[in-house]
Amino acid sequence: MPPKSDSVEGIVLNFVNEQNRPLNSQNAADALQKFNLKKTAVQKALDALADSGQISFKEYGKQKIYIARQDQFDIPNGEELEEMKKANSKLQEELADQKKLISEVESEIKGLQSNLTLAEIKSKEAKLQSEVQEMEEKLNKLQSGVILVKPEDKKIIEEAFSEKANQWRKRKRMFKELWDNITENSPKDQKEFKEELGLEYDEDVDVNFQSYSEMLANLSKRRKLSR
């Protein structure tokens, strides 16, 4: 007589039949924790079910392996298996089609989400118009001969830039000489040593001194021409 479905043996029997694969008591106990069943209770139920012939088991040394009785299941013949394979293949094709359709819909949704709303378009248009107006005002001032930067202010800025650029060049040269002396006979890889010390070159932070050097050279040329 089968156990009640809500009893420990009933829960364990239902689990073993649903899994229909080799299980040990630990496998079953782990899976049945949601029913608040302890391993000892699960082990006792498995042994009782095996003794009553409701499940099968085999012993491998001290280990017992339990499995559902196979005579309770309808085992398909060769023809039925072939039909099942064809049905599975068809379902796989339908699944692939559905996944493709879902992917297309998701792409379309992302495209729609990336488009600006009418309110966003109007806001962006107003911002661009304001920027255009501001640039037009600056252009009109330049065309009318208005000096936007005083000569004395321009001179101060150029001198500060020149000093900073020269200091930059000087310190790059000093660092290179010092670094070459330190690493000349060092067995360490220079790149790893640099990372270990937390050093960063200009190139590491996307800064190119050459562009600033060219600006400094152009500045010097303009100064010579204005004399």
Side-chain angles (χ1 to χ4, degrees):
M1 182 176 177
K4 292 182 179 180
S5 60
D6 58 349
S7 66
V8 176
E9 288 185 16
I11 293 171
V12 173
L13 177 61
N14 184 56
F15 172 74
V16 173
N17 287 337
E18 282 182 350
Q19 294 298 306
N20 194 22
R21 63 182 176 85
L23 299 163
N24 60 30
S25 58
Q26 188 64 55
N27 299 146
D30 290 342
L32 296 174
Q33 283 183 356
K34 58 185 178 182
F35 294 102
N36 295 320
L37 298 180
K38 296 186 179 297
K39 183 180 177 182
T40 52
V42 173
Q43 180 71 67
K44 185 177 179 181
L46 287 168
D47 289 336
L49 291 168
D51 291 341
S52 64
Q54 296 180 73
I55 62 174
S56 302
F57 80 98
K58 286 188 177 182
E59 290 190 65
Y60 297 91
K62 295 181 180 181
Q63 180 85 343
K64 283 186 178 181
I65 301 298
Y66 305 88
I67 191 169
R69 286 185 54 165
Q70 298 303 297
D71 56 4
Q72 65 180 310
F73 301 113
D74 293 329
I75 301 175
N77 56 33
E79 186 177 340
E80 289 173 329
L81 281 172
E82 191 62 32
E83 288 297 322
M84 290 171 67
K85 286 181 181 178
K86 289 180 180 178
N88 181 61
S89 179
K90 185 178 180 181
L91 287 172
Q92 290 294 332
E93 290 177 2
E94 291 177 359
L95 178 61
D97 291 338
Q98 289 297 322
K99 285 183 177 180
K100 183 180 179 182
L101 181 61
I102 291 171
S103 178
E104 291 174 354
V105 172
E106 287 178 343
S107 297
E108 188 174 347
I109 290 172
K110 286 181 180 179
L112 291 172
Q113 289 176 338
S114 65
N115 292 335
L116 297 175
T117 63
L118 182 59
E120 289 172 334
I121 291 172
K122 287 183 177 180
S123 174
K124 192 166 185 178
E125 181 186 15
K127 183 181 178 182
L128 290 172
Q129 286 179 343
S130 175
E131 291 176 358
V132 169
Q133 184 178 354
E134 184 179 343
M135 287 188 284
E136 285 180 345
E137 290 174 357
K138 287 183 179 179
L139 179 60
N140 290 333
K141 286 181 180 179
L142 290 171
Q143 289 176 337
S144 63
V146 175
I147 299 174
L148 299 180
V149 181
K150 295 179 182 180
E152 54 269 27
D153 292 339
K154 181 181 178 183
K155 183 180 180 182
I156 291 171
I157 294 169
E158 289 178 345
E159 288 177 350
F161 172 76
S162 178
E163 180 186 357
K164 299 298 181 185
N166 286 327
Q167 286 290 333
W168 188 356
R169 180 188 291 109
K170 181 179 178 182
R171 292 184 183 188
K172 278 177 67 72
R173 185 174 63 252
M174 290 171 62
F175 171 80
K176 186 177 185 307
E177 292 174 356
L178 181 62
W179 181 254
D180 289 344
N181 289 334
I182 292 173
T183 59
E184 183 177 3
N185 298 315
S186 174
K188 285 190 175 182
D189 178 78
Q190 288 196 21
K191 184 178 179 182
E192 292 180 358
F193 190 30
K194 184 188 76 169
E195 291 177 354
E196 182 181 331
L197 296 175
L199 299 177
E200 288 184 334
Y201 291 170
D202 296 340
E203 296 77 11
D204 296 332
V205 289
D206 296 326
V207 174
N208 183 6
F209 177 74
Q210 184 60 32
S211 60
Y212 291 91
S213 180
E214 291 172 358
M215 289 172 61
L216 184 61
N218 292 333
L219 179 61
S220 298
K221 288 180 182 178
R222 287 203 304 273
R223 282 180 176 176
K224 289 179 182 179
L225 291 172
S226 62
R227 289 175 182 173

PDB file of all heavy atoms in Angstrom, residues 122-148:
ATOM      1  N   LYS A 122      12.264  69.186 -28.334  1.00  0.00           N
ATOM      2  CA  LYS A 122      12.031  70.626 -28.169  1.00  0.00           C
ATOM      3  C   LYS A 122      13.057  71.229 -27.206  1.00  0.00           C
ATOM      4  O   LYS A 122      13.563  72.334 -27.437  1.00  0.00           O
ATOM      5  CB  LYS A 122      10.622  70.862 -27.646  1.00  0.00           C
ATOM      6  CG  LYS A 122       9.535  70.611 -28.697  1.00  0.00           C
ATOM      7  CD  LYS A 122       8.150  70.931 -28.148  1.00  0.00           C
ATOM      8  CE  LYS A 122       7.085  70.747 -29.229  1.00  0.00           C
ATOM      9  NZ  LYS A 122       5.726  71.049 -28.720  1.00  0.00           N
ATOM     10  N   SER A 123      13.376  70.483 -26.132  1.00  0.00           N
ATOM     11  CA  SER A 123      14.347  70.975 -25.166  1.00  0.00           C
ATOM     12  C   SER A 123      15.737  71.091 -25.800  1.00  0.00           C
ATOM     13  O   SER A 123      16.444  72.082 -25.602  1.00  0.00           O
ATOM     14  CB  SER A 123      14.402  70.014 -23.969  1.00  0.00           C
ATOM     15  OG  SER A 123      15.419  70.389 -23.072  1.00  0.00           O
ATOM     16  N   LYS A 124      16.107  70.078 -26.597  1.00  0.00           N
ATOM     17  CA  LYS A 124      17.404  70.103 -27.262  1.00  0.00           C
ATOM     18  C   LYS A 124      17.460  71.216 -28.303  1.00  0.00           C
ATOM     19  O   LYS A 124      18.489  71.884 -28.464  1.00  0.00           O
ATOM     20  CB  LYS A 124      17.664  68.750 -27.929  1.00  0.00           C
ATOM     21  CG  LYS A 124      19.108  68.573 -28.388  1.00  0.00           C
ATOM     22  CD  LYS A 124      19.405  67.128 -28.734  1.00  0.00           C
ATOM     23  CE  LYS A 124      20.869  66.945 -29.058  1.00  0.00           C
ATOM     24  NZ  LYS A 124      21.201  65.538 -29.343  1.00  0.00           N
ATOM     25  N   GLU A 125      16.357  71.425 -29.006  1.00  0.00           N
ATOM     26  CA  GLU A 125      16.300  72.480 -30.009  1.00  0.00           C
ATOM     27  C   GLU A 125      16.495  73.846 -29.364  1.00  0.00           C
ATOM     28  O   GLU A 125      17.252  74.694 -29.870  1.00  0.00           O
ATOM     29  CB  GLU A 125      14.948  72.435 -30.729  1.00  0.00           C
ATOM     30  CG  GLU A 125      14.815  73.502 -31.815  1.00  0.00           C
ATOM     31  CD  GLU A 125      13.422  73.539 -32.419  1.00  0.00           C
ATOM     32  OE1 GLU A 125      12.502  72.948 -31.823  1.00  0.00           O
ATOM     33  OE2 GLU A 125      13.263  74.168 -33.473  1.00  0.00           O
ATOM     34  N   ALA A 126      15.831  74.058 -28.212  1.00  0.00           N
ATOM     35  CA  ALA A 126      15.959  75.334 -27.510  1.00  0.00           C
ATOM     36  C   ALA A 126      17.398  75.555 -27.042  1.00  0.00           C
ATOM     37  O   ALA A 126      17.936  76.666 -27.144  1.00  0.00           O
ATOM     38  CB  ALA A 126      15.013  75.357 -26.312  1.00  0.00           C
ATOM     39  N   LYS A 127      18.031  74.491 -26.560  1.00  0.00           N
ATOM     40  CA  LYS A 127      19.410  74.595 -26.100  1.00  0.00           C
ATOM     41  C   LYS A 127      20.351  74.928 -27.251  1.00  0.00           C
ATOM     42  O   LYS A 127      21.239  75.781 -27.120  1.00  0.00           O
ATOM     43  CB  LYS A 127      19.828  73.280 -25.448  1.00  0.00           C
ATOM     44  CG  LYS A 127      21.228  73.309 -24.857  1.00  0.00           C
ATOM     45  CD  LYS A 127      21.591  71.965 -24.239  1.00  0.00           C
ATOM     46  CE  LYS A 127      23.014  71.988 -23.695  1.00  0.00           C
ATOM     47  NZ  LYS A 127      23.402  70.668 -23.120  1.00  0.00           N
ATOM     48  N   LEU A 128      20.150  74.275 -28.405  1.00  0.00           N
ATOM     49  CA  LEU A 128      20.995  74.530 -29.572  1.00  0.00           C
ATOM     50  C   LEU A 128      20.802  75.949 -30.091  1.00  0.00           C
ATOM     51  O   LEU A 128      21.761  76.616 -30.502  1.00  0.00           O
ATOM     52  CB  LEU A 128      20.681  73.513 -30.681  1.00  0.00           C
ATOM     53  CG  LEU A 128      21.136  72.071 -30.405  1.00  0.00           C
ATOM     54  CD1 LEU A 128      20.600  71.132 -31.481  1.00  0.00           C
ATOM     55  CD2 LEU A 128      22.652  71.981 -30.342  1.00  0.00           C
ATOM     56  N   GLN A 129      19.554  76.411 -30.092  1.00  0.00           N
ATOM     57  CA  GLN A 129      19.278  77.782 -30.542  1.00  0.00           C
ATOM     58  C   GLN A 129      19.979  78.793 -29.639  1.00  0.00           C
ATOM     59  O   GLN A 129      20.512  79.799 -30.110  1.00  0.00           O
ATOM     60  CB  GLN A 129      17.772  78.035 -30.559  1.00  0.00           C
ATOM     61  CG  GLN A 129      17.050  77.347 -31.710  1.00  0.00           C
ATOM     62  CD  GLN A 129      15.558  77.589 -31.690  1.00  0.00           C
ATOM     63  OE1 GLN A 129      14.998  78.005 -30.677  1.00  0.00           O
ATOM     64  NE2 GLN A 129      14.897  77.299 -32.805  1.00  0.00           N
ATOM     65  N   SER A 130      19.977  78.511 -28.318  1.00  0.00           N
ATOM     66  CA  SER A 130      20.648  79.397 -27.371  1.00  0.00           C
ATOM     67  C   SER A 130      22.155  79.414 -27.629  1.00  0.00           C
ATOM     68  O   SER A 130      22.789  80.476 -27.604  1.00  0.00           O
ATOM     69  CB  SER A 130      20.359  78.921 -25.942  1.00  0.00           C
ATOM     70  OG  SER A 130      21.085  79.683 -25.005  1.00  0.00           O
ATOM     71  N   GLU A 131      22.733  78.221 -27.912  1.00  0.00           N
ATOM     72  CA  GLU A 131      24.162  78.152 -28.193  1.00  0.00           C
ATOM     73  C   GLU A 131      24.514  78.869 -29.488  1.00  0.00           C
ATOM     74  O   GLU A 131      25.536  79.546 -29.575  1.00  0.00           O
ATOM     75  CB  GLU A 131      24.593  76.684 -28.268  1.00  0.00           C
ATOM     76  CG  GLU A 131      24.556  75.963 -26.930  1.00  0.00           C
ATOM     77  CD  GLU A 131      24.890  74.487 -27.050  1.00  0.00           C
ATOM     78  OE1 GLU A 131      25.116  74.032 -28.193  1.00  0.00           O
ATOM     79  OE2 GLU A 131      24.931  73.783 -26.019  1.00  0.00           O
ATOM     80  N   VAL A 132      23.660  78.719 -30.508  1.00  0.00           N
ATOM     81  CA  VAL A 132      23.886  79.403 -31.791  1.00  0.00           C
ATOM     82  C   VAL A 132      23.842  80.915 -31.601  1.00  0.00           C
ATOM     83  O   VAL A 132      24.687  81.651 -32.137  1.00  0.00           O
ATOM     84  CB  VAL A 132      22.823  78.958 -32.829  1.00  0.00           C
ATOM     85  CG1 VAL A 132      22.880  79.858 -34.064  1.00  0.00           C
ATOM     86  CG2 VAL A 132      23.058  77.507 -33.228  1.00  0.00           C
ATOM     87  N   GLN A 133      22.852  81.377 -30.819  1.00  0.00           N
ATOM     88  CA  GLN A 133      22.732  82.809 -30.571  1.00  0.00           C
ATOM     89  C   GLN A 133      23.958  83.354 -29.851  1.00  0.00           C
ATOM     90  O   GLN A 133      24.476  84.430 -30.182  1.00  0.00           O
ATOM     91  CB  GLN A 133      21.471  83.081 -29.747  1.00  0.00           C
ATOM     92  CG  GLN A 133      21.203  84.569 -29.520  1.00  0.00           C
ATOM     93  CD  GLN A 133      19.919  84.803 -28.753  1.00  0.00           C
ATOM     94  OE1 GLN A 133      19.171  83.882 -28.482  1.00  0.00           O
ATOM     95  NE2 GLN A 133      19.666  86.050 -28.401  1.00  0.00           N
ATOM     96  N   GLU A 134      24.441  82.586 -28.883  1.00  0.00           N
ATOM     97  CA  GLU A 134      25.631  82.998 -28.129  1.00  0.00           C
ATOM     98  C   GLU A 134      26.852  83.070 -29.034  1.00  0.00           C
ATOM     99  O   GLU A 134      27.647  84.024 -28.954  1.00  0.00           O
ATOM    100  CB  GLU A 134      25.865  81.997 -26.998  1.00  0.00           C
ATOM    101  CG  GLU A 134      27.012  82.371 -26.075  1.00  0.00           C
ATOM    102  CD  GLU A 134      27.210  81.369 -24.955  1.00  0.00           C
ATOM    103  OE1 GLU A 134      26.282  80.574 -24.699  1.00  0.00           O
ATOM    104  OE2 GLU A 134      28.300  81.368 -24.345  1.00  0.00           O
ATOM    105  N   MET A 135      27.005  82.071 -29.926  1.00  0.00           N
ATOM    106  CA  MET A 135      28.150  82.087 -30.850  1.00  0.00           C
ATOM    107  C   MET A 135      28.029  83.222 -31.858  1.00  0.00           C
ATOM    108  O   MET A 135      29.032  83.828 -32.243  1.00  0.00           O
ATOM    109  CB  MET A 135      28.257  80.735 -31.552  1.00  0.00           C
ATOM    110  CG  MET A 135      28.766  79.623 -30.640  1.00  0.00           C
ATOM    111  SD  MET A 135      29.123  78.074 -31.507  1.00  0.00           S
ATOM    112  CE  MET A 135      27.466  77.461 -31.774  1.00  0.00           C
ATOM    113  N   GLU A 136      26.805  83.510 -32.310  1.00  0.00           N
ATOM    114  CA  GLU A 136      26.608  84.614 -33.250  1.00  0.00           C
ATOM    115  C   GLU A 136      26.978  85.943 -32.608  1.00  0.00           C
ATOM    116  O   GLU A 136      27.568  86.821 -33.260  1.00  0.00           O
ATOM    117  CB  GLU A 136      25.153  84.636 -33.714  1.00  0.00           C
ATOM    118  CG  GLU A 136      24.826  83.534 -34.727  1.00  0.00           C
ATOM    119  CD  GLU A 136      23.371  83.569 -35.169  1.00  0.00           C
ATOM    120  OE1 GLU A 136      22.574  84.245 -34.487  1.00  0.00           O
ATOM    121  OE2 GLU A 136      23.034  82.924 -36.179  1.00  0.00           O
ATOM    122  N   GLU A 137      26.645  86.102 -31.336  1.00  0.00           N
ATOM    123  CA  GLU A 137      27.001  87.339 -30.636  1.00  0.00           C
ATOM    124  C   GLU A 137      28.512  87.489 -30.529  1.00  0.00           C
ATOM    125  O   GLU A 137      29.058  88.583 -30.722  1.00  0.00           O
ATOM    126  CB  GLU A 137      26.368  87.339 -29.242  1.00  0.00           C
ATOM    127  CG  GLU A 137      24.854  87.499 -29.254  1.00  0.00           C
ATOM    128  CD  GLU A 137      24.233  87.352 -27.874  1.00  0.00           C
ATOM    129  OE1 GLU A 137      24.985  87.065 -26.919  1.00  0.00           O
ATOM    130  OE2 GLU A 137      23.009  87.518 -27.752  1.00  0.00           O
ATOM    131  N   LYS A 138      29.199  86.390 -30.235  1.00  0.00           N
ATOM    132  CA  LYS A 138      30.661  86.440 -30.181  1.00  0.00           C
ATOM    133  C   LYS A 138      31.252  86.774 -31.542  1.00  0.00           C
ATOM    134  O   LYS A 138      32.209  87.553 -31.658  1.00  0.00           O
ATOM    135  CB  LYS A 138      31.201  85.095 -29.680  1.00  0.00           C
ATOM    136  CG  LYS A 138      30.985  84.843 -28.199  1.00  0.00           C
ATOM    137  CD  LYS A 138      31.624  83.534 -27.782  1.00  0.00           C
ATOM    138  CE  LYS A 138      31.437  83.282 -26.293  1.00  0.00           C
ATOM    139  NZ  LYS A 138      32.047  81.995 -25.864  1.00  0.00           N
ATOM    140  N   LEU A 139      30.673  86.154 -32.604  1.00  0.00           N
ATOM    141  CA  LEU A 139      31.161  86.395 -33.952  1.00  0.00           C
ATOM    142  C   LEU A 139      30.965  87.859 -34.343  1.00  0.00           C
ATOM    143  O   LEU A 139      31.857  88.485 -34.944  1.00  0.00           O
ATOM    144  CB  LEU A 139      30.425  85.484 -34.937  1.00  0.00           C
ATOM    145  CG  LEU A 139      30.805  85.615 -36.409  1.00  0.00           C
ATOM    146  CD1 LEU A 139      32.289  85.298 -36.610  1.00  0.00           C
ATOM    147  CD2 LEU A 139      29.955  84.691 -37.269  1.00  0.00           C
ATOM    148  N   ASN A 140      29.810  88.412 -33.997  1.00  0.00           N
ATOM    149  CA  ASN A 140      29.536  89.820 -34.314  1.00  0.00           C
ATOM    150  C   ASN A 140      30.527  90.749 -33.611  1.00  0.00           C
ATOM    151  O   ASN A 140      30.985  91.750 -34.188  1.00  0.00           O
ATOM    152  CB  ASN A 140      28.105  90.186 -33.908  1.00  0.00           C
ATOM    153  CG  ASN A 140      27.080  89.509 -34.804  1.00  0.00           C
ATOM    154  OD1 ASN A 140      27.372  89.196 -35.961  1.00  0.00           O
ATOM    155  ND2 ASN A 140      25.887  89.282 -34.285  1.00  0.00           N
ATOM    156  N   LYS A 141      30.876  90.411 -32.373  1.00  0.00           N
ATOM    157  CA  LYS A 141      31.844  91.223 -31.639  1.00  0.00           C
ATOM    158  C   LYS A 141      33.208  91.165 -32.309  1.00  0.00           C
ATOM    159  O   LYS A 141      33.910  92.180 -32.422  1.00  0.00           O
ATOM    160  CB  LYS A 141      31.950  90.729 -30.194  1.00  0.00           C
ATOM    161  CG  LYS A 141      30.753  91.088 -29.331  1.00  0.00           C
ATOM    162  CD  LYS A 141      30.946  90.594 -27.903  1.00  0.00           C
ATOM    163  CE  LYS A 141      29.748  90.945 -27.032  1.00  0.00           C
ATOM    164  NZ  LYS A 141      29.917  90.454 -25.642  1.00  0.00           N
ATOM    165  N   LEU A 142      33.604  89.939 -32.739  1.00  0.00           N
ATOM    166  CA  LEU A 142      34.897  89.809 -33.414  1.00  0.00           C
ATOM    167  C   LEU A 142      34.931  90.563 -34.728  1.00  0.00           C
ATOM    168  O   LEU A 142      35.914  91.203 -35.084  1.00  0.00           O
ATOM    169  CB  LEU A 142      35.203  88.319 -33.649  1.00  0.00           C
ATOM    170  CG  LEU A 142      35.527  87.491 -32.400  1.00  0.00           C
ATOM    171  CD1 LEU A 142      35.589  86.024 -32.753  1.00  0.00           C
ATOM    172  CD2 LEU A 142      36.847  87.940 -31.772  1.00  0.00           C
ATOM    173  N   GLN A 143      33.820  90.469 -35.491  1.00  0.00           N
ATOM    174  CA  GLN A 143      33.749  91.155 -36.785  1.00  0.00           C
ATOM    175  C   GLN A 143      33.724  92.673 -36.639  1.00  0.00           C
ATOM    176  O   GLN A 143      34.175  93.397 -37.514  1.00  0.00           O
ATOM    177  CB  GLN A 143      32.501  90.680 -37.539  1.00  0.00           C
ATOM    178  CG  GLN A 143      32.607  89.239 -38.040  1.00  0.00           C
ATOM    179  CD  GLN A 143      31.341  88.760 -38.696  1.00  0.00           C
ATOM    180  OE1 GLN A 143      30.259  89.286 -38.445  1.00  0.00           O
ATOM    181  NE2 GLN A 143      31.459  87.717 -39.517  1.00  0.00           N
ATOM    182  N   SER A 144      33.207  93.152 -35.506  1.00  0.00           N
ATOM    183  CA  SER A 144      33.144  94.604 -35.282  1.00  0.00           C
ATOM    184  C   SER A 144      34.428  95.152 -34.695  1.00  0.00           C
ATOM    185  O   SER A 144      34.542  96.354 -34.453  1.00  0.00           O
ATOM    186  CB  SER A 144      31.968  94.938 -34.357  1.00  0.00           C
ATOM    187  OG  SER A 144      32.159  94.351 -33.085  1.00  0.00           O
ATOM    188  N   GLY A 145      35.400  94.264 -34.446  1.00  0.00           N
ATOM    189  CA  GLY A 145      36.693  94.703 -33.946  1.00  0.00           C
ATOM    190  C   GLY A 145      36.778  94.834 -32.454  1.00  0.00           C
ATOM    191  O   GLY A 145      37.739  95.401 -31.927  1.00  0.00           O
ATOM    192  N   VAL A 146      35.783  94.341 -31.744  1.00  0.00           N
ATOM    193  CA  VAL A 146      35.810  94.392 -30.280  1.00  0.00           C
ATOM    194  C   VAL A 146      36.875  93.432 -29.757  1.00  0.00           C
ATOM    195  O   VAL A 146      36.938  92.283 -30.183  1.00  0.00           O
ATOM    196  CB  VAL A 146      34.427  94.026 -29.694  1.00  0.00           C
ATOM    197  CG1 VAL A 146      34.503  93.970 -28.166  1.00  0.00           C
ATOM    198  CG2 VAL A 146      33.402  95.042 -30.129  1.00  0.00           C
ATOM    199  N   ILE A 147      37.706  93.891 -28.870  1.00  0.00           N
ATOM    200  CA  ILE A 147      38.758  93.055 -28.290  1.00  0.00           C
ATOM    201  C   ILE A 147      38.183  92.295 -27.106  1.00  0.00           C
ATOM    202  O   ILE A 147      37.783  92.899 -26.108  1.00  0.00           O
ATOM    203  CB  ILE A 147      39.956  93.925 -27.842  1.00  0.00           C
ATOM    204  CG1 ILE A 147      40.553  94.656 -29.051  1.00  0.00           C
ATOM    205  CG2 ILE A 147      41.024  93.054 -27.168  1.00  0.00           C
ATOM    206  CD1 ILE A 147      41.645  95.634 -28.684  1.00  0.00           C
ATOM    207  N   LEU A 148      38.117  90.969 -27.236  1.00  0.00           N
ATOM    208  CA  LEU A 148      37.534  90.151 -26.176  1.00  0.00           C
ATOM    209  C   LEU A 148      38.513  89.901 -25.047  1.00  0.00           C
ATOM    210  O   LEU A 148      38.109  89.695 -23.905  1.00  0.00           O
ATOM    211  CB  LEU A 148      37.051  88.813 -26.762  1.00  0.00           C
ATOM    212  CG  LEU A 148      35.972  88.919 -27.849  1.00  0.00           C
ATOM    213  CD1 LEU A 148      35.600  87.534 -28.341  1.00  0.00           C
ATOM    214  CD2 LEU A 148      34.735  89.630 -27.311  1.00  0.00           C
TER     215      LEU A 148
END
